Amino acid sequence: MSTKTAIITGGSRGLGRNMAISLAKKGVNIVFSYHTNVAKAEEVIEEIKGLGQDAKAFQFNANDYKSGQTFIKNATDYLNKKNNNPNFDFLINNAGTGTFNLVQDTSEDQFNDMMNIHLKSVYFITQSALPYLNDYGRIINISSGLARFSLPGMSAYAIMKGGIEVFSRYLAKELGSRKITANTVAPGAIATDFAGGSNKEEDKAKTISSITALGRVGEAEDIGGVVAFLCSKDAGWINGQRIEVSGGMLV
């Protein structure tokens, strides 16, 4: 049986790193992007290679959709050189960051940043990847619990994540003839460096724990396994779905 390959955006830290490691543990080779931190990317590469899988990283600036097109070209050129075939099996659109401001205080630049990073770049990186995504492949887009529940200050970010959920359903519909599934994973509050790492702060962590059925803040390890499952044979009949992974936050 041939080894599968996943392309992951934002795989050098946080959730993306855990997704990459979780997939590598399942025998999947990884090509991932990083923004600026080459050292962190190299750490992930070494860890994946230590698991016996191949790994390669390329730079990607999610605020520039053309950078995403370049990332896909670099990734598929690398795969073609290594495997004599540019194709891959799993696309995970994870890269992103957050911004915090009330609607009345949100600037056009902040809004445009969220749109470019979380909506436009995802749309066009997926478009660029589709010719190389194998039939029976998987697309997993990362949304947020904030597309279901509303917390003040996150409107610009959450609007774009809502758009990603719609996009995933359209992908599922349009790619069904190729037997490619498309789903959304929506994490709740996770203790990573995302948006300045505020979910790690003691007071905020207590608040999050108090409104989460399982009584704690999420960890990156809570998400990677779900993404790996969606890339497995067992998940082949899950399509066009939003899967929230929040420990029961605000249920």
Side-chain angles (χ1 to χ4, degrees):
M1 185 174 66
S2 61
T3 300
K4 305 287 188 180
T5 298
I7 291 182
I8 305 172
T9 64
S12 62
R13 297 191 301 166
L15 298 185
R17 177 186 178 280
N18 193 263
M19 294 170 198
I21 299 301
S22 295
L23 282 164
K25 287 178 179 178
K26 300 292 186 182
V28 177
N29 292 331
I30 308 294
V31 180
F32 67 94
S33 78
Y34 64 94
H35 184 202
T36 57
N37 197 328
V38 177
K40 288 292 183 184
E42 290 294 337
E43 288 177 10
V44 176
I45 288 171
E46 289 306 309
E47 187 166 355
I48 291 170
K49 287 184 175 180
L51 294 167
Q53 300 305 129
D54 187 59
K56 184 70 174 178
F58 296 99
Q59 198 276 336
F60 165 50
N61 175 11
N63 211 343
D64 176 7
Y65 79 95
K66 293 182 180 179
S67 177
Q69 295 171 336
T70 301
F71 167 65
I72 292 296
K73 183 180 187 307
N74 288 336
T76 53
D77 283 352
Y78 169 77
L79 293 173
N80 192 43
K81 184 176 180 180
K82 184 174 179 60
N83 304 326
N84 294 316
N85 186 338
N87 290 6
F88 64 99
D89 304 282
F90 313 126
L91 175 65
I92 297 120
N93 287 307
N94 164 74
T97 186
T99 188
F100 180 89
N101 235 344
L102 298 175
V103 172
Q104 65 195 28
D105 300 320
T106 298
S107 69
E108 183 179 1
D109 284 345
Q110 288 175 316
F111 187 92
N112 285 340
D113 284 348
M114 291 298 96
M115 180 175 65
N116 289 334
I117 292 167
H118 292 289
L119 196 57
K120 189 173 183 179
S121 73
V122 173
Y123 191 99
F124 286 104
I125 206 170
T126 303
Q127 182 188 75
S128 297
L130 287 180
Y132 305 102
L133 183 61
N134 285 324
D135 290 354
Y136 294 89
R138 309 287 167 83
I139 298 173
I140 300 166
N141 294 320
I142 305 304
S143 178
S144 170
L146 291 163
R148 175 178 65 84
F149 49 78
S150 303
L151 299 176
M154 298 300 293
S155 62
Y157 170 81
I159 286 168
M160 307 312 162
K161 290 303 191 181
I164 284 301
E165 295 183 6
V166 174
F167 179 46
S168 298
R169 295 197 296 271
Y170 271 82
L171 287 170
K173 193 75 168 179
E174 293 186 11
L175 299 176
S177 62
R178 293 179 56 191
K179 311 305 179 188
I180 293 170
T181 67
N183 293 289
T184 304
V185 170
I190 309 293
T192 66
D193 293 332
F194 179 83
S198 62
N199 291 335
K200 297 179 180 180
E201 296 171 3
E202 184 176 357
D203 288 346
K204 188 173 182 182
K206 286 181 179 178
T207 300
I208 292 167
S209 299
S210 72
I211 58 175
T212 301
L214 292 179
R216 65 171 174 84
V217 178
E219 300 290 343
E221 290 76 14
D222 296 319
I223 309 301
V226 176
V227 170
F229 165 70
L230 288 173
C231 292
S232 73
K233 185 178 179 181
D234 290 339
W237 201 238
I238 301 174
N239 194 21
Q241 301 304 304
R242 176 192 190 273
I243 300 169
E244 185 170 307
V245 190
S246 68
M249 190 172 179
L250 289 169
V251 294

